[in-house]
Amino acid sequence: MKLRFDEGTEAFRAEFLQWLELNRPSVEEMADDPARSSGHSPGWTRAWTRRMFDSGWLVPGWPPHLGGRNAGPLETLVYLEELNRAEVPRTTNPQGLGIVAPSLVDYGTEEQVEQYAMGLLRGELTACLGMSEPDAGSDLASLKTRAVIDGDRFVINGQKVWTSGAGYADFCFLFCRTDPDAPKHRGISIVLLPLNTEGVTVRPLREIIHPDYPDLSEVFLDDVVVPVSNLVGELNDGWKMAGGSLAHERSMVWLMSVMGVESAMAELLETAPGMMASLSPREQVIAADDIVGFYVETQCARALGYRGFARFVKGGNAPEQALMKMYASELRRELGRVTAQWHGGGALAVSEGRRSSLGLIEDYFATFGSTISAGSSEIQRNIIAERILNLPRG
Amino acid sequence: MDLELNDDQIDLRDNVRAVLARECPASVVRGVYESTGDASALRKQMVELGWPALGIPEEYGGLGMGFVEVGILAEELGRVSAPTPLLATVSQFVPLLVEVLRSAPTSKTGELLSEVATGARTGSLALAEKGRWSPDSVNTTASGEGDSVTVTGTKTDVLAGAEVDSFAVVARPTGPAHPADADRSDGLGVYLVERADAEVTASKVIDPALGLADVSFDRAPAKPLLTGDADGEIARAVEQAVVAMALHTVGACRRIFEVTLEYAKVREQYDRKIGSFQALKHRFADMYLAVEKANAICYFAALAVAEDDPRRREACHVAKVASGDCQSLLAEEGLQLHGGIGYTWENDLHFLLKRAKVADVLCGSASWHRARLADLLGLTVEVAP
Ligand SMILES: Cc1cc2nc3c(=O)[nH]c(=O)nc-3n(C[C@H](O)[C@H](O)[C@H](O)COP(=O)(O)OP(=O)(O)OC[C@H]3O[C@@H](n4cnc5c(N)ncnc54)[C@H](O)[C@@H]3O)c2cc1C
C-alpha cells in the first residue's frame, strides 16, 4: 500500500501537464461551439483530437501509430486525472473513442482499421453504437434487426433505439442477427454501417431534459445494403465481441465515473457556504448532515475505485469494477437529487444549451442516463449476485 | 497510489485469519458470553505469536510494523468477535505510548512498551467519560508532583477495562505543570495507572466479550508519562484507535456478510434456495458494496495514518462514519435474512451482530464523527450570540 505514485508516474504526469498547458483547447473556444450531441464534433474537437493523436496523447496506452505512447495503466490513470482536473473533455464522442475504436483495433480487418478506426483517432469521423432495440434493452441478446447475406453484401432490416449520437455520427457499429436459428447469443454479428447509406432513417428522440438538443435517436433500417467486407470479426461472433468491446476501457469508464462524482462533490463544497448563507440555523444543520454524507460516500467511491484499479494493474481480478458502475452512478444521482432540494426555487430553472448544473432538478434527471444505460443498476445487481457472489440463478 | 494490501500484508492477514479460525471459534466466544469458559488459551497463543508486539518499534522488542498491519489485526479480531484485551493493547495503549515516546523519550515509557511486547503487560486507553470519546469531555484531573501524582475521575466504556493490567489515563492536570515540560502550555496529560489502583466495574453490556468497564480513580497513584500539553499526542493516538475500531467493525460485518451468504445458498423455501430470489440477490449486492467500500476507505485511513499524510485526521472520521453505516446495513440485513434462526441465542450470528453494533459506538459513533466532519469541512453553523 502506498498513498503516492512512484516517481516515473509523477514524471509522466508532469510531462502531460506541460503538454496540456500548451495544447489544450481554450475555455472560450469550447464554450463558443459546444458539441450538440455525443456524435457531434465541432471544429475545435476535431483539431484537439488530432493534436492528441499526433503527440501520442489520445490513447496513451497504445503504440504511437495509434495515437499513443505505450503507457502503462497507472500512467493512463494520472493522464485521466489531469484531463478531468483541467475540465477538458478527452473526446466529445466517447462511444467512438472508448468502444468502437478499440473494438476495431482488436477485431477489425486492416482496411477497417485504416478507414474507420484511424478516422476516429484522427478526429475525422464519429461513431455510434447500435445495440438496443424496442424489444431488446437489458436483454440485448434478443435483438431482431436482421442482416441477410446476399452474395458479397448484407441486406439489413430492422430498428434500433436509444442510439446516442446517431443524429450526427458518421457510422454505426451495428449489432444484427445473422443466424435466426442459432441460440440467441450465437447468431449475432457486428457490421459497420455508414449512416448516409440509402435506407437508413435517423429520427431524433427528444429526451426528458433539453428537448432541443436530442442526443438519442431511433434508427430505422429498410433494405439497407452494405458490403460483406464491413463485417467486424467472424460471422455470428458478435456477442463475444460485445463482451470484449464493452469490457474495453471498462476500468477507465468507472474511473471516469468516480471522477465525475468527485467533481460534483467539489462543486457542492465550493458552493456550500453560499447555499448555507440562505438557510436558517436549523436548516443549516440538516444540510450539513446531507453534505457530510455525500462527502463520505465520495471518499469511499474514490478509495474503492482506486483499490480496484490497483488490483487491475497487478493483473488480479477486481470485483470492484462490477460494483463501481452501480455505485458511482447511483451516488451521483443522489447527490443531484439532494443538492437540488437545498436550492429552493433555484432548482426549478431550465438551462440554455445541453448542460445542466448541479443543484437543478434538470441535473438530477440527467443522472439517470448513467443508472439506466450500459447495464442498468438492476442488471448490475444481478451480475454482482450471480457472477461474483455465486448466488443461484432462477 | 496503491490502495491494495501488498503481499506481506496479505500473508499477515491470512496467517492471523487462520490462527483465529482455529483458536477462536464461536464456542470460545460463547464460553465468555455464558461464563462457562474463558479465553486464556487464545490469549496465550496470541502472545506466543508475538501479536502484542506488532506495532511496537524494534528497539523496544517489538516487530516494528506499521499501522496498516495493526489495522489488519483489528479487522481480523472483529471477524471472530474475539474476546481479548489485544485490541485495546495494540490499537489504543501502544499507539498512545509510542506518541508519548516520540515527544518525550523516557526510559519509563520505553520499558512499558518492552513489557507489552513480551506479553507481560496489557493496557487500554482511559479516555471516554460519560460515554463520550472526545478529549473535550475529559473532567478527570491529575494533581501532585513527582512521585506523588494522583488521578481522580471516572472513565466509561474502557475497552478491556476489566482485564488489562494498566490504563493510559487522559486527565487534566491541576496545579503547576510538570517541571520537565515547563515550556508547554496547560493542556491534557497522559498518566499511567495500574488496574489494582483503580476501581473497575465491569459494564453489563450487550457484548460481554469486549470486557468493557467503567473505571474510577479516587486519588489513584499515577505515573505521569506526558504532562503539560499532550493534546496533539492524544489526538494522534485517538485517530489510531478510531481507525482500528472502524476496521474491527468492518471485520465483523464482512463475516456477517459471509455467513448470511452461505445461509442463502443452503436454506430452501418454496422448493428453492432463498438466495435465488431476486429480492434477496439485490440486497446481497448492496451488502457486498457496503462491506467493500467501508473496507477500502478504512485502509485508506490506516495508510494515511501510517504515512502520516495530511489527510489523516479527516480520513479517520470518514472511515468511522463509513464503518458505522456499513454495520447499520449488515447487522440489519444479516439478521433479517437469517429469519427465525438468527433471532435465537443458540445461533452464533448474534455475537457478530453485537460486536458490529458495539464497535460502532466505541470511539464515537458514525453520527458523532459526521458532526466532526461537518466542523472540518467548514459546515459549522454560526450561532448568533
Ligand atoms: C442516456 C442513454 C443513452 C443510451 N445510449 C445507447 C446507445 O448509444 N446505444 C444503445 O444501443 N443503447 C443505448 N441506450 C439504451 C440502454 O442501453 C438501454 O436503455 C438499457 O439497456 C435498458 O434497456 P431498456 O431501456 O429497454 O429497459 P428494460 O430492459 O426494458 O428495463 C426496464 C426496467 O426493468 C429492469 N429490468 C430489466 N431486466 C431485469 C432483470 N433481469 N432483473 C431486474 N430488473 C430488470 C431494468 O433495470 C429497468 O429498470 C441508452 C440509454 C440511455 C438512457
Side-chain angles (χ1 to χ4, degrees):
Chain A
M1 290 190 109
K2 286 198 294 302
L3 276 182
R4 318 233 162 257
F5 293 102
D6 58 86
E7 268 171 45
T9 307
E10 287 303 336
F12 185 92
R13 185 200 299 273
E15 188 186 346
F16 177 57
L17 274 176
Q18 201 175 17
W19 183 86
L20 186 63
E21 177 72 33
L22 296 172
N23 291 280
R24 58 164 290 167
S26 71
V27 174
E28 297 74 37
E29 69 183 318
M30 292 193 288
D32 285 352
D33 191 10
R36 298 179 62 86
S37 123
S38 66
H40 176 220
S41 51
W44 66 266
T45 21
R46 287 174 186 257
W48 167 229
T49 301
R50 182 71 207 219
R51 284 203 298 283
M52 285 198 286
F53 175 84
D54 287 340
S55 317
W57 285 117
L58 184 60
V59 190
W62 279 356
H65 73 276
L66 293 173
R69 46 181 61 227
N70 295 314
L74 275 180
E75 293 172 329
T76 303
L77 168 66
V78 298
Y79 156 85
L80 290 173
E81 279 185 342
E82 292 309 328
L83 274 179
N84 186 56
R85 205 188 317 266
E87 295 179 30
V88 177
R90 183 171 166 225
T91 173
T92 54
N93 178 221
Q95 65 274 40
L97 182 61
I99 298 174
V100 177
S103 301
L104 286 173
V105 167
D106 280 357
Y107 305 111
T109 61
E110 235 168 84
E111 292 73 35
Q112 288 168 353
V113 171
E114 187 42 49
Q115 188 182 345
Y116 291 98
M118 296 314 279
L120 291 171
L121 297 174
R122 292 195 196 101
E124 293 153 4
L125 298 177
T126 60
C128 62
L129 269 178
M131 304 173 81
S132 308
E133 297 182 1
D135 293 325
S138 299
D139 182 13
L140 178 65
S142 66
L143 63 88
K144 293 199 197 79
T145 293
R146 190 77 171 87
V148 179
I149 298 185
D150 174 17
D152 59 357
R153 42 182 229 162
F154 284 112
V155 180
I156 306 172
N157 281 285
Q159 186 198 336
K160 294 289 168 183
V161 71
W162 322 125
T163 321
S164 299
Y168 289 86
D170 298 294
F171 71 98
C172 181
F173 197 70
L174 187 71
F175 286 66
C176 320
R177 186 152 305 281
T178 37
D179 184 352
D181 302 321
K184 62 182 185 177
H185 295 91
R186 300 224 188 96
I188 297 171
S189 302
I190 300 172
V191 173
L192 297 172
L193 169 67
L195 284 167
N196 59 7
T197 309
E198 202 174 318
V200 176
T201 310
V202 176
R203 191 193 294 159
L205 253 178
R206 283 146 64 92
E207 287 142 50
I208 185 168
I209 53 164
H210 308 310
D212 296 338
Y213 296 88
D215 188 33
L216 301 180
S217 295
E218 292 173 287
V219 179
F220 300 91
L221 306 159
D222 295 309
D223 289 329
V224 173
V225 173
V226 295
V228 166
S229 60
N230 279 19
L231 172 71
V232 180
E234 302 289 316
L235 195 67
N236 298 325
D237 217 18
W239 188 256
K240 263 193 241 148
M241 283 187 279
S245 59
L246 296 182
H248 251 295
E249 292 223 332
R250 198 177 273 165
S251 59
M252 299 299 161
V253 170
W254 55 254
L255 214 57
M256 301 298 282
S257 63
V258 169
M259 290 174 190
V261 173
E262 284 191 297
S263 302
M265 187 67 224
E267 193 180 331
L268 177 55
L269 276 183
E270 218 168 277
T271 53
M275 184 184 90
M276 288 287 205
S278 67
L279 305 177
S280 76
R282 190 184 300 280
E283 289 163 350
Q284 288 179 6
V285 170
I286 301 172
D289 193 44
D290 280 339
I291 295 172
V292 165
F294 287 119
Y295 189 76
V296 169
E297 291 294 336
T298 304
Q299 297 291 312
C300 285
R302 182 180 164 84
L304 186 61
Y306 277 59
R307 186 182 76 185
F309 192 79
R311 286 189 184 162
F312 164 76
V313 168
K314 288 177 193 168
N317 67 336
E320 285 85 356
Q321 298 185 27
L323 293 173
M324 288 318 291
K325 158 80 170 58
M326 158 184 118
Y327 183 25
S329 62
E330 292 187 354
L331 175 54
R332 179 62 186 80
R333 181 187 67 196
E334 294 309 290
L335 203 151
R337 178 176 63 79
V338 175
T339 306
Q341 286 185 319
W342 286 113
H343 272 68
L348 314 181
V350 172
S351 49
E352 295 293 322
R354 264 181 91 207
R355 283 182 64 100
S356 318
S357 51
L358 187 68
L360 296 181
I361 291 171
E362 205 181 63
D363 164 73
Y364 165 63
F365 283 131
T367 63
F368 281 75
S370 303
T371 57
I372 295 172
S373 68
S376 67
S377 290
E378 291 73 26
I379 299 305
Q380 299 303 322
R381 284 182 171 81
N382 290 348
I383 291 172
I384 293 163
E386 290 172 5
R387 297 200 207 145
I388 302 179
L389 306 178
N390 292 315
L391 283 164
R393 282 166 199 261
Chain B
M1 187 148 107
D2 175 0
L3 296 184
E4 171 67 325
L5 299 179
N6 65 32
D7 290 346
D8 289 345
Q9 290 162 339
I10 289 172
D11 281 350
L12 174 71
R13 183 196 63 196
D14 292 349
N15 282 329
V16 170
R17 189 174 290 185
V19 170
L20 289 175
R22 198 175 61 229
E23 303 290 331
C24 189
S27 55
V28 170
V29 184
R30 183 170 292 277
V32 174
Y33 264 73
E34 299 178 352
S35 309
T36 54
D38 62 23
S40 50
L42 169 67
R43 285 169 203 182
K44 209 168 136 240
Q45 180 77 37
M46 289 173 170
V47 170
E48 272 164 26
L49 290 166
W51 290 357
L54 206 75
I56 295 175
E58 279 160 322
E59 64 235 75
Y60 304 104
L63 299 175
M65 290 192 186
F67 189 68
V68 172
E69 285 76 5
V70 172
I72 289 172
L73 189 55
E75 182 185 3
E76 293 305 316
L77 291 171
R79 188 183 162 83
V80 294
S81 51
T84 166
L86 186 68
L87 180 65
T89 303
V90 300
S91 76
Q92 299 191 356
F93 193 58
V94 169
L96 185 52
L97 292 186
V98 170
E99 292 297 337
V100 164
L101 195 69
R102 194 169 290 149
S103 310
T106 62
S107 52
K108 192 161 54 186
T109 309
E111 274 162 33
L112 286 170
L113 281 171
S114 306
E115 288 168 21
V116 172
T118 63
R121 186 187 285 271
T122 57
S124 187
L125 174 67
L127 166 71
E129 296 185 17
K130 297 198 174 126
R132 297 180 70 85
W133 270 265
S134 163
D136 305 339
S137 324
V138 170
N139 283 314
T140 295
T141 55
S143 51
E145 275 180 54
D147 291 340
S148 61
V149 174
T150 63
V151 164
T152 298
T154 298
K155 298 290 183 178
T156 56
D157 308 300
V158 176
L159 188 61
E163 306 164 38
V164 291
D165 301 311
S166 19
F167 303 109
V169 182
V170 175
R172 212 168 281 286
T174 59
H178 196 263
D181 302 312
D183 55 332
R184 310 188 87 181
S185 65
D186 232 21
L188 292 169
V190 181
Y191 303 83
L192 186 83
V193 179
E194 300 300 337
R195 182 163 59 110
D197 294 321
E199 191 187 317
V200 175
T201 314
S203 316
K204 220 171 146 35
V205 290
I206 192 152
D207 179 353
L210 278 169
L212 291 176
D214 290 346
V215 180
S216 286
F217 308 102
D218 181 10
R219 279 164 293 162
K223 287 184 196 150
L225 298 178
L226 189 61
T227 56
D229 179 7
D231 292 30
E233 290 78 3
I234 292 165
R236 290 167 63 85
V238 169
E239 283 164 8
Q240 295 170 63
V242 165
V243 177
M245 195 57 76
L247 274 163
H248 194 67
T249 314
V250 176
C253 288
R254 185 179 290 282
R255 192 66 196 138
I256 293 170
F257 176 70
E258 289 173 2
V259 297
T260 309
L261 184 62
E262 282 158 23
Y263 187 64
K265 288 176 182 174
V266 295
R267 172 69 178 167
E268 290 187 11
Q269 283 296 287
Y270 302 96
D271 299 320
R272 49 196 275 210
K273 307 274 192 262
I274 58 167
S276 68
F277 294 114
Q278 194 182 53
L280 301 199
K281 280 184 182 169
H282 285 198
R283 285 156 76 174
F284 274 107
D286 287 336
M287 284 187 264
Y288 179 59
L289 172 62
V291 172
E292 289 296 339
K293 74 187 186 191
N295 179 279
I297 193 67
C298 284
Y299 276 107
F300 172 78
L303 188 58
V305 167
E307 294 192 3
D308 204 10
D309 187 87
R311 290 167 285 185
R312 62 181 275 166
R313 180 158 169 225
E314 181 194 297
C316 293
H317 292 303
V318 172
K320 196 67 169 65
V321 173
S323 71
D325 290 349
C326 175
Q327 67 75 27
S328 291
L329 184 73
L330 268 290
E332 188 167 298
E333 295 287 55
L335 177 48
Q336 179 69 21
L337 299 193
H338 269 80
I341 196 79
Y343 195 69
T344 63
W345 183 266
E346 286 317 310
N347 191 279
D348 295 331
L349 179 71
H350 67 109
F351 304 141
L352 291 162
L353 300 176
K354 290 168 182 171
R355 180 58 57 95
K357 283 283 161 204
V358 173
D360 172 44
V361 173
L362 296 178
C363 298
S365 68
S367 304
W368 188 82
H369 285 278
R370 264 195 190 92
R372 300 286 78 72
L373 266 177
D375 292 343
L376 271 186
L377 294 175
L379 302 171
T380 310
V381 181
E382 300 294 337
V383 182

